[in-house]
Amino acid sequence: MLTVRNLKLLQTTRKILFIMTDTHESKYFSHSPSVTRSQLLKTGSSFQKCSKESNGAIKTLKRKVKKEKIEIKYETDTSYDNVGGIKKEKWEPSTWRDQLKNIHEMRKNRDAPVDSMGCDVISDVTAKPEVYRYQVLLSLMLSSQTRDQVTSAAMSRLREHGCTIDNILKTDDQKLGQLIYPVGFWKRKVEYIKKTSQTLLDQYNGDIPKTVEDLCKLTGVGPKMAYLVMKCAWNEIQGIGVDTHVHRISNRLGWHQKPTKQPEDTRKSLEDWLPRELWSEINHLLVGFGQQTCLPVYPKCSVCLNKQICPYGRSYKSPKKSPKKLPKTEIKNEEPV
């Protein structure tokens, strides 16, 4: 590094050199010069010394720069581990955006059963808020292991009968069974509905719980129902509702690092990588897609836009249809004339 003394010497030397090379008359080189030869020689020797020190400092600095390697790190998509706040790489399916875009295209008409018979549609939106929320809860309880058409018809009968907590508790089990039949496991659901309705009256002042944890404490209510109730009844997104369609389709599309066996495992896996702003739509979107295209049995992979980017679709071979058997014709024996 240059000292202050050396810097001043450099400035003085530059000034003298400029005067010596200037062709114009200067006050320093008039008839009575103020700068003597001995001063110039002294300044020159100091300049040489200063130059040597400067060159040495520059060389040292260059050596330091060469030794220090600059490493450029590019930020990758990462997330924090729950344990110790350790940063880890975030996994996501490689083609999920294209797959989701294609599903949106195939679902653009919104004409699947879930679009006209979902739990938020078949409940009475004109009723009091607490009554509407109660009906949303009941419709989801009835929908388990039941087609949307059957659930919608059962809810229609319940609404005509009077689908309020007080009225349902006054209805005897036999009558309630007749109203919801033929939903899946209808006898068990009669028991669930009665117990849950009594709990809502006793502990929640005739309304439904406002947290997933409390909803799951109700008889006959699981995580899938709880997350959908929070979305449809309370307009809050706290998780992804995973039913049989979401579970099946997400595994077929390869949306999990390892195939999941239980819906709750599927929910946790999806929530690990799927952007939160898509949680509200993913259930409704995939349910309709599963009802129309990605069927449980004999899926329509041949017309699916994801056929080439879906692991299941690429390997799926549609079964050969056996030729229709001709109806047997009865040969009548003619009576003798």
Side-chain angles (χ1 to χ4, degrees), residues 232-248:
C232 299
W234 292 110
N235 197 28
E236 292 184 12
I237 307 301
Q238 295 188 4
I240 299 173
V242 176
D243 64 353
T244 180
H245 295 289
V246 178
H247 176 69
R248 177 182 73 254

Side-chain angles (χ1 to χ4, degrees), residues 99 101-109 252-253 288-295 297-310 312-314 316-318 321:
Q99 292 170 335
K101 182 180 178 181
N102 290 336
I103 294 174
H104 272 288
E105 178 64 23
M106 290 182 280
R107 288 274 287 117
K108 64 182 180 181
N109 293 329
R252 284 180 176 179
L253 290 172
F289 179 58
Q291 290 175 337
Q292 293 181 308
T293 306
C294 197
L295 306 174
V297 182
Y298 302 133
K300 301 177 183 178
C301 294
S302 59
V303 298
C304 179
L305 299 179
N306 284 325
K307 181 179 180 181
Q308 300 302 323
I309 55 175
C310 172
Y312 184 87
R314 287 196 300 265
Y316 178 75
K317 294 181 181 179
S318 57
K321 294 183 179 180

Side-chain angles (χ1 to χ4, degrees), residues 41 74 169 240 282 299 306:
L41 291 173
Y74 296 93
L169 289 175
I240 299 173
I282 197 66
N306 284 325

Side-chain angles (χ1 to χ4, degrees), residues 69 115 140 203 226:
K69 293 182 179 180
D115 296 313
L140 285 167
Q203 299 181 19

Side-chain angles (χ1 to χ4, degrees), residues 15-23 29 40:
K15 193 171 185 180
I16 293 170
L17 290 174
F18 172 77
I19 295 168
M20 291 175 66
T21 55
D22 192 0
T23 56
F29 287 91
L40 286 173

Side-chain angles (χ1 to χ4, degrees), residues 169-262:
L169 289 175
K170 292 176 182 177
T171 305
D172 60 72
D173 292 357
Q174 184 178 0
K175 177 63 177 178
L176 186 58
Q178 293 174 355
L179 291 171
I180 67 172
Y181 180 86
V183 299
F185 306 100
W186 63 273
K187 290 183 179 180
R188 189 181 302 170
K189 288 178 181 178
V190 167
E191 180 183 350
Y192 291 166
I193 290 172
K194 281 295 188 72
K195 288 184 177 181
T196 294
S197 298
Q198 190 65 54
T199 301
L200 297 180
L201 185 64
D202 296 340
Q203 299 181 19
Y204 297 97
N205 197 27
D207 207 339
I208 68 173
K210 203 174 181 179
T211 65
V212 172
E213 183 181 2
D214 289 338
L215 283 166
C216 289
K217 293 178 182 179
L218 300 174
T219 306
V221 178
K224 179 217 57 169
M225 297 181 197
Y227 288 114
L228 290 177
V229 167
M230 293 302 300
K231 172 182 175 288
C232 299
W234 292 110
N235 197 28
E236 292 184 12
I237 307 301
Q238 295 188 4
I240 299 173
V242 176
D243 64 353
T244 180
H245 295 289
V246 178
H247 176 69
R248 177 182 73 254
I249 295 170
S250 62
N251 274 280
R252 284 180 176 179
L253 290 172
W255 282 7
H256 309 287
Q257 283 184 287
K258 295 180 180 180
T260 57
K261 296 182 179 181
Q262 299 297 328

Side-chain angles (χ1 to χ4, degrees), residues 30 49 89 104 133 197 257 304 322:
S30 60
K49 185 179 179 181
E89 291 188 0
H104 272 288
R133 290 190 285 266
S197 298
Q257 283 184 287
C304 179
S322 57

